[in-house]
Amino acid sequence: MTDSGNPRELISREALQRRIDELAAEIERDYAGSRDLLCVGVLKGSVFFLSDLLQRLSRPLVVDFFQTSSYRGETTSHGEVRIRRDLDHSLAGRDVLLIEDIVDTGYTMRTIMALMGFRGARSVRLCVLLDKACKRETAVRIHYRGFEVDDVFVVGYGLDYNDRYRNLPYIGVLDESTAGCQGQ
Ligand code: IMP
Ligand code: MG
């Protein structure tokens, strides 16, 4: 994959913001009765999304982050997930809203959600901006989904290629050469 040239806009800044309004309204409703909401972002890709999403919630909450193994220029993950930076907060008895940029094969989120259950979270729900559903290799339950995307490599609004492009205010397609999802 090349990273020269400008990404083609796939989801505009305005479309992102409109969808995040809707997701925030849904989350606000669903957690109305929860006393102890812990919002957990996955570094680094989720930070732009998390920031815009959580500023729209008026309920009390706590924000925490963890980081999984870095991408290292690879464009696929292989089912092995390593925690590089762990959470500051205990999960015991808490309602956890996990916030992620994109679910691809599903290995990262499956592993992390299982770990959170193991650590005693009262509930764990997943909120993802982008869902590459046709690439899934292991089942993951997504409670809040921004957009479904085709099998193309996307960057911007937190998503990177070799740590670049995160600051684009829109989601762009960097490389269209990967196979599409049609027929899969
Ligand atoms: P999974 O374990 O295959 O679901 O991998 C998810 C992770 O792969 C995401 O958190 C991203 O860091 C990365 N990833 C997958 N697809 C893309 C993409 O199109 N652009 C940028 N990062 C991606
Ligand atoms: Mg990620």
Side-chain angles (χ1 to χ4, degrees):
M1 182 166 76
T2 63
D3 65 343
S4 56
N6 288 326
R8 170 180 68 85
E9 184 176 288
L10 181 68
I11 306 171
S12 70
R13 174 185 218 151
E14 294 71 30
L16 287 170
Q17 297 303 322
R18 273 198 306 273
R19 185 71 188 115
I20 295 169
D21 281 341
E22 294 170 355
L23 292 173
E26 240 183 280
I27 290 167
E28 191 97 289
R29 259 198 321 271
D30 291 354
Y31 285 97
S34 164
R35 293 232 180 115
D36 210 8
L37 178 59
L38 179 66
C39 296
V40 172
V42 187
L43 293 171
K44 306 171 194 170
S46 73
V47 293
F48 291 68
F49 175 44
L50 176 143
S51 167
D52 281 344
L53 181 72
L54 297 190
Q55 287 177 74
R56 287 163 162 88
L57 302 184
S58 52
R59 61 171 342 288
L61 55 83
V62 170
V63 182
D64 205 347
F65 293 97
F66 72 92
Q67 187 165 16
T68 55
S69 46
S70 73
Y71 215 51
R72 296 183 202 286
E74 295 286 318
T75 56
T76 53
S77 61
H78 304 286
E80 199 181 310
V81 178
R82 196 164 52 95
I83 304 256
R84 293 179 62 206
R85 180 207 183 276
D86 208 341
L87 297 167
D88 292 331
H89 292 266
S90 161
L91 299 182
R94 311 192 80 153
D95 292 316
V96 176
L97 180 64
L98 192 56
I99 300 171
E100 173 63 315
D101 52 0
I102 187 166
V103 177
D104 189 328
T105 62
Y107 288 119
T108 310
M109 281 305 103
R110 189 194 62 173
T111 306
I112 296 305
M113 289 176 86
L115 177 66
M116 294 190 166
F118 182 73
R119 289 186 181 177
R122 181 167 168 264
S123 68
V124 182
R125 285 187 176 181
L126 176 59
C127 175
V128 296
L129 181 63
L130 305 176
D131 181 10
K132 262 193 208 177
C134 66
K135 292 283 296 296
R136 200 75 83 250
E137 291 177 19
T138 183
V140 175
R141 171 139 192 239
I142 298 176
H143 297 82
Y144 308 98
R145 171 196 340 251
F147 301 87
E148 190 169 322
V149 292
D150 206 348
D151 181 17
V152 286
F153 198 80
V154 287
V155 293
Y157 197 64
L159 290 120
D160 74 304
Y161 177 64
N162 282 345
D163 250 346
R164 295 176 57 213
Y165 300 105
R166 292 192 198 277
N167 59 318
L168 290 179
Y170 58 89
I171 299 289
V173 177
L174 191 59
D175 182 46
E176 323 242 7
S177 65
T178 39
C181 291
Q182 286 79 10
Q184 289 183 19

